[in-house]
Amino acid sequence: LIDMDRYFVVHAPRQTGKTTALEALASELTAEGDIAALMFSCERAKSAGDDYAAAEEILLKSLRQAAEWSGWPEELLPPDSWPQAPAGTRFDSALTEWCRRSPRRVVLLMDEIDGLQGNSMVSILSQLRDGHNARPKGRPFPASVVLCGLRDVRDYKVACGGDADRSNPISPFNIVTESLRLGDFTAGQIGELYGQHTEATGQEFTKDAVERVFELTQGQPWLVNALAHEIIIKMGVTGAVTAGQVDEAKERLIRARAIHLDALVARLYEPRVERVIGPIVAGIWPGTDTSFDDDVSYVHDLGLIRGTRDLEIANPIYREVLLRVLGDRTERFVKADPHSFVLPDGRFDLERLLREFVVFWREHGEVLIRQEGYHEAACQIILMAFLHRLVNGGGYLDREYAAGTKRLDVLVRWPYTGPGGERLVQREAMELKVWRAGKDDPLTEGLAQLDGYLDRLSLTTGV
């Protein structure tokens, strides 16, 4: 695309390596000798809001600083002072002057483009569009511009104040030729990445550990790196890394609510996000009004769901984090002592948990449903919060849920010591169905679904 002098968008969820990729690309392009490729961040311009004159000033200062820190020879640097021009045209004039002087084609990589808001976004994108369209007439202007951020270009008009009319296709940046989304790691790439650690230190990741990392993260780059960091640095593991240590690292990450996970869950109560995530947790199909597809694409851009067709949470770690966060309020109501659910032989007393939940539901269910923001998923959230409180002291919860399944599958894994001192794992399967007024009794369908779930787990009984 850059070879063809195209303007395009690169987008991906937070903490997936966008900035690292742009820096590497800019460095590589400039080293080839016929391009001056500069990556700079637009993030500081967020403070300008609608003040597009202030936004221009901030962006031009960020651009100049990035060029000065690049180590380029003098002839490639922008001019010492930008030409005078009216507000709303300064960015355009500055880029034109720089490209007129530059002995090479200029390529601009604008990171954190989401930092621009409202009129500032409109002004900068419009100036880029005007410069792009004037190039065939001989006007000097960047040969290629890459806009990098969290969102796809279709959401730029929302940031420009176009949210009120989603059917309006007009965008201030309608010159974009492609919108590329950075993908997650494959299982092979995780093995390759961890293999670099092995080459550098001699410490190995077992095949089972690599497979477990992929299973838990589905290749989300921040999670892949965070699990390895937790195991090697925080847990201090020195020998070969095992799948069991990956599970322990996952629990520690979730409990610590690392900054990436906190940034993710902060989005959960945005109306656009709740409209998509609510039906997924409830296992029902969402409404089909015209704006819903935009909401799905937005939630996909945030990295919360795997794709835009089958509505599923992106990976098991996110599945767990979302339910834990949504159940925080309910957990405060659970007063039972988790240790009292451990039987004399070390196993978990699931029958007692079910009895206690019935009592808990009768006492608090109605109040909690009224308080819960995700009303259609309130029953699922409340039961999961109860399980979190009582199981997570010594066991693990695996959950499966997706839109349209009409259920939430839960597997309780409880490690304990057998009579001969051997390490065993108790497994208990649960299928959650919700009875809704005016709908068919879900018991018959639920029993058939539980039967299929038990077959997959090779268990003979479940709840």
Side-chain angles (χ1 to χ4, degrees), residues 153-172:
V153 70
R154 76 174 166 271
D155 265 323
Y156 286 9
K157 74 174 186 292
V158 175
C160 295
D163 194 27
D165 183 9
R166 292 171 184 270
S167 62
N168 177 12
I170 295 172
S171 164

Side-chain angles (χ1 to χ4, degrees), residues 252-409:
R252 289 165 59 103
L253 268 186
I254 292 172
R255 281 199 300 270
R257 285 276 288 278
I259 190 165
H260 166 79
L261 299 178
D262 254 0
L264 196 73
V265 300
R267 302 276 187 168
L268 286 180
Y269 292 100
E270 290 183 19
R272 297 180 72 185
V273 175
E274 187 173 332
R275 288 185 66 207
V276 177
I277 300 297
I280 292 175
V281 176
I284 59 178
W285 285 117
T288 55
D289 61 276
T290 53
S291 67
F292 186 73
D293 286 345
D294 281 345
D295 294 337
V296 169
S297 295
Y298 174 65
V299 174
H300 179 242
D301 286 349
L302 292 176
L304 282 167
I305 59 176
R306 189 172 299 172
T308 56
R309 291 177 64 85
D310 300 321
L311 297 183
E312 294 182 44
I313 302 300
N315 57 64
I317 291 179
Y318 286 1
R319 275 206 303 263
E320 185 163 336
V321 169
L322 299 193
L323 281 174
R324 285 199 190 186
V325 170
L326 293 175
D328 272 351
R329 186 185 294 120
T330 294
E331 277 201 54
R332 299 191 197 107
F333 285 78
V334 183
K335 302 303 181 187
D337 177 11
H339 297 99
S340 67
F341 289 80
V342 183
L343 294 166
D345 63 0
R347 300 173 82 254
F348 185 78
D349 191 346
L350 182 66
E351 287 188 18
R352 178 177 173 184
L353 179 138
L354 294 171
R355 289 197 306 271
E356 297 251 352
F357 179 70
V358 171
V359 174
F360 177 81
W361 181 264
R362 286 172 176 159
E363 287 182 4
H364 304 294
E366 194 173 328
V367 172
L368 290 170
I369 284 177
R370 282 204 305 271
Q371 289 184 355
E372 186 53 60
Y374 279 63
H375 294 295
E376 58 200 349
C379 295
Q380 289 88 341
I381 291 168
I382 291 166
L383 175 62
M384 292 311 304
F386 190 83
L387 290 175
H388 290 154
R389 176 79 177 86
L390 299 179
V391 172
N392 275 3
Y396 303 95
L397 291 173
D398 300 329
R399 311 148 188 77
E400 294 181 28
Y401 55 92
T405 58
K406 301 182 185 175
R407 68 184 193 273
L408 189 153
D409 298 334

